[in-house]
């Protein structure tokens, strides 16, 4: 008797028989996770200096780098607006930075379509300091040149946190592509 | 991962247009963001309503976070107590519990005594508080230093009110929603508090430095009289802050003043008190235009 391959009926995303991906999950999970990450200021941490990595931005980078199709290029406007409402930055700063990030990632994508995770991390390590520096400039806080080192710990933390965020995104991605819809 | 084929338009006219529309939308988004940013830097109060509505909507998240923190502590204590109970005489256990609480209380009192001695019984004649609330979060990822407070206009909080903890000044209310409000912490670079040295009347300004310390700028320049360990309290100038609330301790003397350490670290304070504006009536009267024209009759 011939046997079916074990992956013929089931794979990591669930049963292949009678089930399909849900478009709501497939398109909604990236948006939802980024928006939840933007709520970081509501964590019960009262920080005296900027120290917590900008999780919303990290998730945006992670999703865009690992799954180029899921976020449209205009996603920077709504997501940035949501981030601005909670981050304490003047309204518009994240809209501008998120949009510019998505445009420049698109250009990088055209030049380097095939990347390994290390290259993704390198790109993130390039974008995060620029984002933090620009946010500090746009924040309206009077920060002198000698006070810029206060950004360094946050910057390093964010760069180090990126692989963890990327790993989290792969878990969310599995949830995103779980076959939950019943056919017939 | 390689991009989906939509990124390669080729000679497909429709795909080319779609790609172009994507760039256009993203560019418009960026432009809109730049415009909004310019407006909110020029007039920072423009979007306050939107922001406080948003934080009102998300306040339950913060409250839940604070509540689980307290709840989980009790939860583990409960489990630990249950685990040990079998091996101990119940009466003895109770006694020990009471003794422990007393000891903790005594220690806390001792510490509080030390601190209060350090700030020279400065919190004796506090006005009745407007509200007692919890700090439910802070903008920990941004360079600005704001905190979210779990009390808003429904509790009588209005912008400008000083926020204090038992250890000293925390900041002042910047904008209010119905259930939450945003507090400008002392360490924000926009925060300037008129202070004086607790022991004499050396007046100065305490400005935030965004990194957790304060810059104390003396008003009368000359020989710098400060030394490490000096305590600064609010002077009451400006009519906003009640005089005599502890603010900072000098940790490093500089040419034109000092660098101070916050006495009331908001990271260590859970519950804070919102005080009324010290000379609210006077301030309101000053803002109204003067009646310069006397009655003609």
């Amino acid at each position: 008797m011939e046997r079916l391959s074990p992956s013929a009926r089931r794979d990591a995303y669930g049963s292949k028989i009678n089930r399909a991906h849900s478009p709501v999950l497939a398109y909604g999970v990236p948006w939802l996770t980024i928006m939840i990450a933007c709520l970081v200021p509501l964590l019960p941490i009262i920080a005296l200096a900027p120290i917590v990595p900008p999780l919303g931005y990290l998730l945006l980078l992670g999703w865009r780098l690992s799954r180029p199709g899921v976020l449209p290029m205009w996603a920077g406007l709504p997501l940035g607006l949501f981030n601005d409402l909670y981050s304490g930055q003047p309204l518009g700063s994240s809209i501008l930075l998120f949009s510019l990030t998505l445009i420049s990632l698109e250009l990088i994508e055209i030049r380097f379509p095939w990347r390994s995770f290390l290259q993704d991390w390198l790109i993130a390590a390039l974008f995060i300091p620029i984002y933090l520096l620009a946010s500090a400039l746009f924040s309206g806080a009077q920060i002198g040149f000698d006070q810029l080192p206060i950004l360094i710990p946050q910057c390093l933390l964010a760069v180090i946190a990126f692989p963890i965020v990327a790993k989290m995104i792969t878990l969310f991605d599995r949830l995103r592509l779980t076959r939950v819809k019943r056919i017939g | 991962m390689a991009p989906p084929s939509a990124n390669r338009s080729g000679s497909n006219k429709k795909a080319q247009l779609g790609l172009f529309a994507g760039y256009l939308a993203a560019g418009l988004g960026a432009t809109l963001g730049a415009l909004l940013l310019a407006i909110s830097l020029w007039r920072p109060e423009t979007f306050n309503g939107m922001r406080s509505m948003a934080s009102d909507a998300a306040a339950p998240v913060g409250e839940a976070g604070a509540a689980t923190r307290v709840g989980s502590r009790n939860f583990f204590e409960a489990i630990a107590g249950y685990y040990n109970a079998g091996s101990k005489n119940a009466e003895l256990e109770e006694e020990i519990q009471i003794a422990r609480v007393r000891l903790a209380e005594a220690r806390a009192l001792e510490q509080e005594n030390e601190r209060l001695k350090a700030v020279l019984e400065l919190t004796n004649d506090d006005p009745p508080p407007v509200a007692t609330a919890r700090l439910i979060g802070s903008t920990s990822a941004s360079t600005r230093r704001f905190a979210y407070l779990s009390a808003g206009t429904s509790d009588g909080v209005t912008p400008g009110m000083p926020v204090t903890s038992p250890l000293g000044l925390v900041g002042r209310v910047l904008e209010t929603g119905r259930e939450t409000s945003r507090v400008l912490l002392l360490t924000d670079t926009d925060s300037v508090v008129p202070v004086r040295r607790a022991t004499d009347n050396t007046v100065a300004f305490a400005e935030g430095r965004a990194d957790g310390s304060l810059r104390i700028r003396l008003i009368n320049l000359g020989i710098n009289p400060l030394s490490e360990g000096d305590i600064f309290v609010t002077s009451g100038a400006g009519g906003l802050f009640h005089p005599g609330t502890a603010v900072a301790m000098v940790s490093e003397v500089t040419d034109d003043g000092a660098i101070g350490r916050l006495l009331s670290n908001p990271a260590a304070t859970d519950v804070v008190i919102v005080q009324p504006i010290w000379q609210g009536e006077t301030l309101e009267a000053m803002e109204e235009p003067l009646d310069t024209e006397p009655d003609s009759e």
Side-chain angles (χ1 to χ4, degrees), chain B:
Chain B
M1 192 186 163
S5 54
N7 275 13
R8 309 267 150 132
S9 59
S11 59
N12 182 346
K13 201 79 186 169
K14 202 175 159 194
Q16 283 176 359
L17 272 178
L19 208 54
F20 175 70
Y23 277 104
L24 194 67
L28 281 179
T31 321
L32 186 68
L35 272 178
L36 285 176
L37 178 63
I39 293 172
S40 44
L41 283 180
W42 179 46
R43 289 268 165 85
E45 69 285 351
T46 318
F47 302 108
N48 278 2
M50 222 161 121
R51 207 180 271 139
S52 39
M53 251 163 65
S55 57
D56 267 4
V61 182
E63 294 266 25
T68 38
R69 191 181 41 183
V70 176
S72 64
R73 203 164 52 204
N74 291 341
F75 177 68
F76 285 121
E77 271 173 11
I79 291 178
Y82 189 70
Y83 194 70
N84 292 337
S87 62
K88 285 179 188 169
N89 186 319
E91 214 175 348
L92 197 63
E93 173 101 326
E94 203 174 349
E95 250 179 36
I96 288 174
Q97 290 282 356
I98 293 170
R100 265 189 205 143
V101 172
R102 287 278 150 75
L103 188 63
E105 276 175 2
R107 271 193 195 136
L109 273 179
E110 200 176 39
Q111 253 180 356
E112 198 183 346
N113 249 343
E114 270 177 17
R115 282 209 191 94
L116 287 179
K117 267 180 199 160
V119 296
L120 293 172
E121 51 189 329
L122 294 160
T123 45
N124 271 353
D125 49 348
D126 276 352
V130 173
T132 311
R134 219 184 260 277
L135 286 178
I136 53 176
S138 77
T139 56
S140 45
S142 167
T143 337
R144 299 305 299 270
R145 301 263 56 86
F146 300 121
Y148 294 98
L149 188 73
S150 66
T153 41
S154 57
D155 304 282
V157 178
T158 55
M161 285 182 170
V163 178
T164 62
S165 80
L167 299 182
L169 193 65
V170 172
R172 70 185 154 91
V173 176
L174 196 65
E175 62 189 58
T176 50
R178 268 192 58 73
E179 302 296 332
T180 59
S181 43
R182 222 148 57 100
V183 178
L184 183 76
L185 294 179
L186 288 185
T187 49
D188 188 275
T189 50
D190 267 4
S191 158
V192 178
V193 180
V195 290
R196 67 174 176 82
R197 185 152 70 170
T199 45
D200 55 16
N201 279 329
T202 313
V203 281
F205 284 119
E207 300 172 341
R209 276 168 33 108
D211 62 348
S213 59
L214 295 171
R215 184 160 159 249
I216 293 166
R217 223 155 32 89
L218 293 174
I219 291 176
N220 299 324
L221 291 176
I223 298 166
N224 189 344
L226 303 182
S227 58
E228 264 182 51
D230 284 353
I231 305 276
F232 275 84
V233 299
T234 48
S235 66
L240 211 55
F241 301 105
H242 194 84
T245 315
V247 175
M249 189 167 81
V250 172
S251 61
E252 188 190 332
V253 180
T254 58
D255 289 344
D256 61 342
I259 304 293
R261 205 161 46 78
L262 271 189
L263 278 178
S264 161
N265 186 348
T269 36
D270 195 14
V271 175
V272 292
I273 296 161
V274 184
Q275 288 183 336
I277 298 175
W278 184 42
Q279 287 180 335
E281 296 94 357
T282 325
L283 285 184
E284 271 170 34
M286 274 163 64
E287 279 183 13
E288 279 167 17
L290 286 177
D291 251 349
T292 44
E293 286 175 49
D295 288 339
S296 49
E297 285 159 349

Side-chain angles (χ1 to χ4, degrees), chain A residues 48 86 89 91 142 147 154, chain B residues 40 54 141-142 145 148 189 209:
Chain A
L48 278 178
Y86 295 101
Q89 295 279 113
L91 199 98
Q142 278 112 37
Q147 270 172 281
Q154 189 191 17
Chain B
S40 44
S142 167
R145 301 263 56 86
Y148 294 98
T189 50
R209 276 168 33 108

